[in-house]
Amino acid sequence: MTSPVPRPARRRLDAALDGLAVTFRGMTARPDEHNCECHWGSAEDVARLKVPDVELYDDLLQRTWRAPDWSDHASVLRRILPQFARSLVAGRIEAFLGPEEIGRSFDRGQWQQWPDEQAAAVREFLHAWWSHTLTDPAPAVPAHELLALNVEASGTLTPWLTHWETQTGAPATRHLAEAAAHWEYDLLVDELPWGAWDAWDDEGEKRAELTTWLLDHARPRLIAHGAPGELLHRIRLLGLTGPARWEDPHWPGHRY
């Protein structure tokens, strides 16, 4: 039997979801907003986005957050945010191109430039969801997927990793082992383990930051918690370069 999520983390997330509902109540897409009927949906569907506080059916919600070509993506995102956030937390949103695709929808809306109250509500939601996930033994969205989402939504890796360091309970450490196992294949060829939206140089900086964090924080922590030796060696190999890495006796023999 798994342990429940600590009550403060659940309360914080519930409060953040309530905060989105209050902050974005009454929001609509622009009156002149439109999209392609052939590829996106009908005029009736667009009209629903111009009516406040009405729940969208699942497929319409999915098409709306994924569409990259709204004339005012920020207004559309504000219209769907309360429902979108609840569906995200419940694991009901499907990201065909990976969780980073969801983060890019936030980024396209430029939420960090919204009025202070609105930006604060989004920021608190992302951080509350992250904190909840790290303390949840079985989150609907795995921690490594949520990290990619949050990084692409916020444009930074540092605060999410810093918070992970503070979460020392068994769920957070187990999520760390699962994340490292998921990431090592890409990191061992010096690639970020999700598709970054920003420039190549920024992608390289994030990859380097994640690699350093795995070596300096994650590996010692996983050693202390008895992680499998194979995983520990693969993290160790990230600290080597060139032939020293792939000629090491513990090189996993990945084919790329």
Side-chain angles (χ1 to χ4, degrees):
M1 182 176 180
T2 59
S3 301
V5 180
R7 289 181 180 177
R10 182 70 245 186
R11 285 198 297 266
R12 181 184 179 187
L13 180 56
D14 288 342
L17 291 169
D18 289 344
L20 290 177
V22 171
T23 302
F24 296 100
R25 182 176 296 146
M27 299 289 179
T28 66
R30 282 177 19 183
D32 60 348
E33 188 61 82
H34 63 281
N35 214 311
C36 174
E37 291 195 25
C38 296
H39 297 96
W40 180 80
S42 67
E44 289 77 11
D45 282 344
V46 175
R48 290 174 185 265
L49 303 180
K50 300 172 185 179
V51 178
D53 308 323
V54 174
E55 291 281 301
L56 308 181
Y57 59 90
D58 290 345
D59 181 63
L60 176 56
L61 178 64
Q62 182 78 15
R63 284 184 279 120
T64 300
W65 74 260
R66 291 194 74 221
D69 51 356
W70 296 112
S71 59
D72 187 347
H73 188 88
S75 292
V76 171
L77 184 60
R78 283 190 288 261
R79 162 63 178 86
I80 68 172
L81 251 178
Q83 182 182 356
F84 187 31
R86 292 195 306 274
S87 295
L88 284 169
V89 169
R92 295 196 300 267
I93 296 297
E94 184 175 2
F96 303 117
L97 302 179
E100 60 269 31
E101 182 184 15
I102 300 170
R104 289 174 196 150
S105 184
F106 279 87
D107 182 63
R108 281 197 302 275
Q110 299 182 311
W111 65 270
Q112 296 181 89
Q113 299 177 29
W114 294 355
D116 290 348
E117 182 182 9
Q118 295 179 6
V122 177
R123 185 177 300 108
E124 173 58 14
F125 163 65
L126 294 176
H127 281 274
W129 187 18
W130 181 233
S131 182
H132 179 272
T133 295
L134 292 179
T135 57
D136 188 344
V141 178
H144 67 269
E145 293 188 5
L146 182 52
L147 181 70
L149 186 160
N150 282 341
V151 171
E152 293 305 305
S154 66
T156 181
L157 184 58
T158 304
W160 315 106
L161 297 183
T162 299
H163 185 67
W164 207 336
E165 292 181 23
T166 70
Q167 299 300 305
T168 57
T173 301
R174 186 163 57 252
H175 297 328
L176 180 57
E178 293 169 353
H182 180 82
W183 293 332
E184 56 89 7
Y185 180 88
D186 292 302
L187 290 174
L188 282 172
V189 286
D190 298 323
E191 293 183 358
L192 193 67
W194 62 84
W197 180 253
D198 46 22
W200 185 89
D201 286 344
D202 289 336
E203 180 178 342
E205 289 176 3
K206 289 174 183 174
R207 188 266 307 162
E209 181 179 358
L210 182 60
T211 297
T212 299
W213 185 78
L214 284 171
L215 288 165
D216 293 349
H217 171 75
R219 189 167 184 270
R221 178 170 169 177
L222 293 175
I223 289 173
H225 286 81
E230 180 182 6
L231 176 60
L232 297 173
H233 278 299
R234 293 183 185 191
I235 298 174
R236 176 185 61 81
L237 289 171
L238 297 174
L240 306 179
T241 58
R245 179 181 290 178
W246 38 84
E247 292 177 3
D248 188 279
H250 292 282
W251 171 254
H254 291 323
R255 294 184 180 273
Y256 295 91

